[in-house]
Amino acid sequence: MSTPTPPTAKPFAATVLGAPRIGPDRELKRAIEGYWAGRISAEGLAGTAADLRRRSWQELAAAGLDSIPVNTFSYYDQVLDTAVMLDALPDRVAGIDDPLDRYFAAARGNAEVTPLEMTKWFDTNYHYLVPEIAPTTQFRLRPEKVLAEIAQARGTGIDPRPVVVGPITFLALAKAVDGGPEPLSRIDDVVSCYFELIDRLVDAGVEWVQFDEPALVTDIADGLPELAADVYGRLSAVTRRPAILVATYFGDPGAALGALARTAVEAIAVDLIEGSVEAVAAVPELANKLVVAGVVDGRNIWRTDLDAALATLGSLLGSAGDLAVSTSCSTLHVPYSLAPEAGLDDNLRGWLAFAAEKYTEVATLASALRNGRESQAAAFDASRAALATRATDPRLADAGVRTRLAACTDADITRTAAATRLAQQQEHLNLPPLPTTTIGSYPQTSAIRLARAALRSGDIDDAEYVRRMHAEIADVVALQERIGLDVLVHGEPERNDMVQYFAEQLDGFFATANGWVQSYGTRCVRPPILYGDVARPAPMTVDWITFAQSLTTKPVKGMLTGPVTILAWSFVRNDQPLADSANQIALAIRDETVDLEKAGVAIIQVDEPALRELLPLRNADKSAYLDWAVKAFRLSTSGVADTTQVHTHLCYSEFGEVIGAIAALDADVTSIEAARSHMEVLDDLNQVGFANGVGPGVYDIHSPRVPGAEEIRDSLTSALKAVDAQRLWVNPDCGLKTRNTDEVTESLTNMVAAAQAARTALG
Ligand code: GLN
Ligand code: ZN
């Protein structure tokens, strides 16, 4: 195949695949929310956005990168932006004239229209909007956004490399609606738009374009390598086009790497944190490509071992035609900069690199690759010195934790047979059939938020904070008694976040001051950093739960977050297997369950809403993950007596590949979402032989709508066809913290009435 390399495209040496966009102080969040609230005009919002883009490009250029990604900015999500670029928004928003309002309606809905579905971006904690492909979907190129950002970059003196989600990933992540075809069957129509796009990019003077194809590191569809060969074969056969970089990330592209290398694209980005050098060496066709080597971790916060990264780059020199240094993926997934983190001790600071620090690492490595390590001696020395302290810091190897874990056996993850346990628990708890309960949190009122802020600012002391939280707990307990629920909760008022709350109390975790990352849209999270061995210096929840229990004769559930979820929503250690970190956290949670039990708590819920999130992208890796995840959960819950009832909660109903693992958790009671139908969810569980208690959510807490008692009763009737009354629990589908007290009171009152009616019917 001839290689129609555009004459103007020069290889580059140092880049990143993308950058954060929320602003170092979440300026974009505030501007967008201000626009939604009518406080900020469209022009005001556009001004903030333009300013943030300019600052980001200038920062990348100043760090020494010689190719700058643009169009990685977004008002909400890059997949939604791609749907807009392909004119493929759903018909239901087509009537909204203003493009920005149409965009936000697709993103988050409004009084008339439901938004696109949102789901996780591969195995990250970023969420994208799922494009809908209907029978009527017509694709048409709408390049205004990318062209505008290119023009702005040029105006700023930046030579832009536009980044666009590639056609395969776009369709692989889309879903068919209204009986539409399987999305990937529309690939030719979409590729037509990309032909037009590359033509327009040449008009705009663009030398390089980056197409993001992370779908190529997954098994989400069959035949992806062949599709990559076909799509990029055709796109690269065009003679009037920019040079093309196809970016794979989040894993090893496998056969897709060779397939891409056999097309005429100029460059391929490979993730060398998740993927391997051997995979690159195995593809001889890379000898005439620019390999963009992702040796700086784009999604975790650890400082790069520069010697090791340089060695990796060196070993690629023989395989690649040319080599550029890059992050493994966009730095969208890490905080902006270490600069605001005043609370770090020197060792910990030395081990970390947020986005800004990573840009410097990339530039340092690129320079060392060209001019020798000596040219960057100071940076290499600093990297070595920091790593040396990480290797010897006692917090990373707690002998007590390690000895204890090494001594764990199957007995520590095994409880008595479930039926025996349930009989003993029932004797102890004496619950009616169809017991009613909730998932844990109650509305996070403004009083709660004010108290937390006042404690942080020093306006109130700990004693006053506890007094205010006790008042909240007392209210929630009284409310539940009035409503007539059978198993009560304390309402979780003291928890800002179900992971951070525990991370703040466990050794081995550090909570950042300003380490915000985008979760979705304007929603940002501040994941804790797991840097050391985990231990629990003191009980974390016992006082709150026992206080609640002291107010009622009904049982109050203890509420904990499980080890897999704590890991999934943190930045994790990269110096030991995830399973080891999971087990350490599990021991800490186990100690908490034992202390709760000692304090007289008879029911303990260990939430694992993230169990499915950590599922590996490749089918071959899934069973090993589920094996350690299940074991970690069981380690955390098997320390209690048979009479103690263990609950768990999972936030989804499409179990798919994790159904067997859910059963294997062996919780006494599992509450789950049941968005589809109760029967289906329960049938799925029955099919894998699950015979423990189950609480399929009887109403959707994500909506303000109050369900009627009749409708809940109907759900229960259908659930009772799949599960007998002894096993069926009655609860909403998730925590209530986002709802208001009126909605919660009405909904739960109806829920209890429905349960009572169903009991009466049972006789
Ligand atoms: N116990 C938590 C709550 O009720 C569970 C939250 C979740 O499932 N994400 O808020
Ligand atoms: Zn949930």
Side-chain angles (χ1 to χ4, degrees), residues 8 22 42 58 81 96 142 172 189 230 378 418 437 529 571 704 737:
T8 49
I22 54 171
Q58 286 172 341
D81 294 342
I96 305 171
R142 291 264 173 215
D189 300 334
D230 172 53
T437 192
I529 295 172
F571 288 116
K737 72 173 161 216

Side-chain angles (χ1 to χ4, degrees), residues 259-451:
L260 289 170
R262 287 184 282 279
T263 72
V265 301
E266 283 70 21
I268 302 168
V270 283
D271 179 337
L272 293 166
I273 303 296
E274 309 269 345
S276 73
V277 174
E278 291 72 30
V280 175
V283 178
E285 292 86 351
L286 288 171
N288 48 41
K289 303 291 179 202
L290 170 66
V291 171
V292 179
V295 292
V296 169
D297 194 340
R299 58 185 286 195
N300 207 340
I301 41 59
W302 302 107
R303 182 182 198 142
T304 304
D305 178 341
L306 292 180
D307 289 305
L310 190 62
T312 301
L313 292 166
S315 71
L316 290 171
L317 283 174
S319 320
D322 221 319
L323 204 53
V325 184
S326 176
T327 49
S328 57
C329 59
S330 168
T331 57
L332 177 70
H333 310 288
V334 295
Y336 270 77
S337 159
L338 274 173
E341 298 302 330
L344 289 161
D345 64 71
D346 289 346
N347 272 8
L348 195 41
R349 173 174 291 276
W351 305 336
L352 301 177
F354 291 178
E357 293 76 26
K358 289 177 191 292
Y359 306 150
T360 304
E361 290 181 335
V362 167
T364 300
L365 284 164
S367 164
L369 192 63
R370 301 261 135 141
N371 312 313
R373 190 184 320 239
E374 313 70 49
S375 69
Q376 296 291 330
F380 277 77
D381 286 346
S383 158
R384 239 169 264 143
L387 282 167
T389 71
R390 196 169 167 208
T392 53
D393 193 300
R395 292 174 294 180
L396 274 65
D398 179 324
V401 174
R402 292 188 173 232
T403 313
R404 193 172 160 210
L405 207 50
C408 286
T409 64
D410 274 356
D412 296 298
I413 58 170
T414 313
R415 299 183 76 197
T416 316
T420 314
R421 292 183 336 240
L422 287 165
Q424 294 194 41
Q425 290 157 14
Q426 185 48 17
E427 197 175 310
H428 194 62
L429 292 166
N430 202 17
L431 294 167
L434 310 179
T436 53
T437 192
T438 55
I439 304 305
S441 58
Y442 270 71
Q444 286 266 329
T445 60
S446 53
I448 294 173
R449 277 193 287 268
L450 284 174

Side-chain angles (χ1 to χ4, degrees), residues 37-101:
R39 287 192 307 272
I40 293 180
S41 66
E43 295 70 38
L45 174 57
T48 301
D51 189 48
L52 286 171
R53 287 193 295 265
R54 181 183 47 76
R55 282 163 61 190
S56 171
W57 300 327
Q58 286 172 341
E59 182 188 12
L60 296 173
L65 307 186
D66 63 349
S67 179
I68 308 294
V70 310
N71 198 44
T72 61
F73 175 83
S74 181
Y75 279 129
Y76 209 94
D77 166 49
Q78 70 272 11
V79 180
L80 178 61
D81 294 342
T82 313
V84 171
M85 185 190 85
L86 297 169
D87 202 21
L89 288 186
D91 288 344
R92 64 182 179 278
V93 299
I96 305 171
D97 283 335
D98 180 75
L100 195 55
D101 292 342

Side-chain angles (χ1 to χ4, degrees), residues 157-200:
I158 296 288
D159 184 16
R161 183 184 86 235
V163 177
V164 178
V165 174
I168 299 173
T169 296
F170 176 79
L171 286 173
L173 298 184
K175 69 170 184 188
V177 296
D178 304 336
E182 202 281 302
L184 276 169
S185 70
R186 300 289 307 272
I187 190 77
D188 288 350
D189 300 334
V190 169
V191 169
S192 297
C193 295
Y194 282 73
F195 278 122
E196 198 182 332
L197 174 67
I198 55 182
D199 197 56
R200 299 291 297 272

